[in-house]
C-alpha cells in the first residue's frame, strides 16, 4: 500500500476550464472602439448559439455522465454503497491482526463487485503492516510487513504515533460532525511544515457524491484545513 506520509496528500483536481469565444471581432480602422460583435442584420447583441459555445458552457463537462456526475462522483456512487462494513469496524479488524498495533491509515478501494478496505497499522517502533479487510464481510486478511521501511521512516512514524493523542475514530467523528456523510479514508500525516501531526479524513456526501477532506490536528481535534473535491 502506497502511503502519503511524507507530505499532505495532493488531492486530484482538474484544471479550471477556460470559456472559448464564439466570435472574433476585429476593428476595421485604427482607433475604432470595439463595443461588440454584430451580426449581419445590424443587431449588436452578442449571442453565442454555436456548438462550440454550448460545449464551453460551465454547466457542461466532458468528464460527466448523462446524469450530470463526473467520473469520480460516479465511481463513488457505485463503490461507497457496496461497503457494508464501515471504516471503524474494518480498522478494528486490521489492528487485531498485529499485536499491539495502532492505526496509521485506512481507505476504501476495490470495485463495486469486490470493495475492500486497505489498511495500514504500525507497532510502537514505527514498523508498518498492510492489511486488506473485506468491506462486505469485515474479514481481515493476513498482515503483510513493509520491508521497504528504513530506520528513519520508522523513527518518524513512531514519533507521530506518540504525538497523536487524538484517535482515528475521534478525528473521523470530528469530520462527520462538520459534514454528514460516509468516511472513506482516514490517514495519519503531518503538515507541510512538518511541525504538526494530522489526521486526514475523507467524507463522501451521498446527495451529490462529492468528497470533503478534513485535516484535523492529532493533538487537539482542531480542523486546520477543509477541501471539497467536486470532481
Amino acid at each position: 500500500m502506497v502511503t502519503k506520509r511524507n507530505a499532505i496528500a495532493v488531492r486530484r483536481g482538474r484544471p479550471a476550464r477556460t470559456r472559448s469565444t464564439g466570435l472574433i471581432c476585429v476593428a476595421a480602422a485604427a482607433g475604432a472602439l470595439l463595443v461588440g460583435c454584430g451580426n449581419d442584420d445590424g443587431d449588436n447583441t452578442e449571442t453565442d448559439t454555436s456548438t462550440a459555445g454550448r460545449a464551453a458552457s460551465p454547466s457542461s463537462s466532458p468528464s460527466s455522465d448523462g446524469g450530470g456526475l463526473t467520473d469520480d462522483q460516479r465511481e463513488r456512487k457505485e463503490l461507497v454503497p457496496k461497503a457494508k462494513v464501515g471504516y471503524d469496524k474494518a480498522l478494528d479488524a486490521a489492528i487485531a491482526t498485529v499485536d499491539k498495533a495502532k492505526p496509521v491509515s485506512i481507505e476504501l478501494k476495490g470495485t463495486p463487485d469486490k470493495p475492500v478496505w486497505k489498511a495500514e497499522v504500525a507497532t510502537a517502533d514505527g514498523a508498518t503492516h498492510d492489511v486488506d479487510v473485506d468491506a462486505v464481510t469485515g474479514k481481515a486478511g493476513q498482515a503483510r510487513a513493509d520491508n521497504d521501511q528504513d530506520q528513519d521512516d520508522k523513527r518518524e512514524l513512531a514519533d507521530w504515533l506518540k504525538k497523536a493523542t487524538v484517535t482515528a475514530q475521534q478525528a473521523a467523528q470530528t469530520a462527520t460532525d462538520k459534514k454528514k456523510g460516509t468516511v472513506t479514508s482516514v490517514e495519519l500525516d503531518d503538515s507541510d511544515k512538518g511541525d504538526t501531526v494530522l489526521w486526514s479524513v475523507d467524507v463522501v456526501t451521498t446527495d451529490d457524491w462529492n468528497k470533503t477532506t478534513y485535516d484535523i490536528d492529532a493533538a487537539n481535534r482542531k480542523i486546520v484545513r477543509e477541501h471539497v473535491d467536486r470532481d
Side-chain angles (χ1 to χ4, degrees):
M1 178 177 178
V2 178
T3 62
K4 302 167 282 183
R5 295 199 300 273
N6 293 332
I8 292 296
V10 178
R11 305 296 173 183
R12 293 197 304 274
R14 292 180 173 79
R17 294 174 56 79
T18 303
R19 183 177 176 85
S20 60
T21 304
L23 299 174
I24 300 176
C25 300
V26 180
L33 178 64
L34 180 63
V35 295
C37 296
N39 55 24
D40 293 340
D41 61 5
D43 184 359
N44 287 329
T45 303
E46 182 180 354
T47 304
D48 186 358
T49 59
S50 65
T51 301
R54 290 195 301 272
S57 171
S59 62
S60 63
S61 170
S63 62
S64 57
D65 62 13
L69 297 177
T70 67
D71 290 341
D72 287 346
Q73 288 169 335
R74 187 172 62 253
E75 287 176 6
R76 295 176 199 134
K77 182 179 180 180
E78 293 172 351
L79 178 62
V80 172
K82 300 300 183 179
K84 306 306 180 184
V85 175
Y87 88 93
D88 49 348
K89 299 297 184 184
L91 196 55
D92 288 342
I95 293 171
T97 64
V98 179
D99 188 38
K100 297 181 181 179
K102 293 184 178 181
V104 176
S105 68
I106 190 163
E107 183 177 10
L108 182 62
K109 303 288 283 185
T111 64
D113 292 335
K114 194 175 182 180
V116 61
W117 288 103
K118 295 282 187 177
E120 183 179 37
V121 300
T123 47
D125 62 354
T128 61
H129 295 73
D130 295 331
V131 185
D132 292 347
V133 181
D134 191 305
V136 176
T137 66
K139 183 179 179 180
Q142 186 174 3
R144 306 179 301 279
D146 183 358
N147 297 321
D148 293 331
Q149 273 187 301
D150 58 30
Q151 290 303 314
D152 287 339
D153 290 336
K154 291 181 180 179
R155 280 193 293 267
E156 180 183 51
L157 182 54
D159 183 56
W160 288 3
L161 293 171
K162 289 179 182 178
K163 292 179 178 178
T165 55
V166 174
T167 67
Q169 290 85 349
Q170 288 172 334
Q173 184 64 55
T174 299
T176 53
D177 283 346
K178 181 75 173 180
K179 175 83 69 176
K180 301 300 181 184
T182 301
V183 174
T184 59
S185 175
V186 184
E187 182 176 16
L188 190 65
D189 210 331
D190 68 348
S191 64
D192 290 329
K193 296 180 180 179
D195 56 355
T196 305
V197 179
L198 306 168
W199 284 109
S200 182
V201 182
D202 289 346
V203 179
V204 171
T205 44
T206 56
D207 57 341
D208 53 17
W209 302 105
N210 288 334
K211 179 180 71 178
T212 304
T213 300
Y214 294 96
D215 289 337
I216 298 165
D217 193 310
N220 57 26
R221 296 182 71 169
K222 179 181 179 182
I223 297 175
V224 298
R225 176 180 175 270
E226 176 180 349
H227 173 72
V228 180
D229 182 0
R230 294 185 172 86
D231 290 335

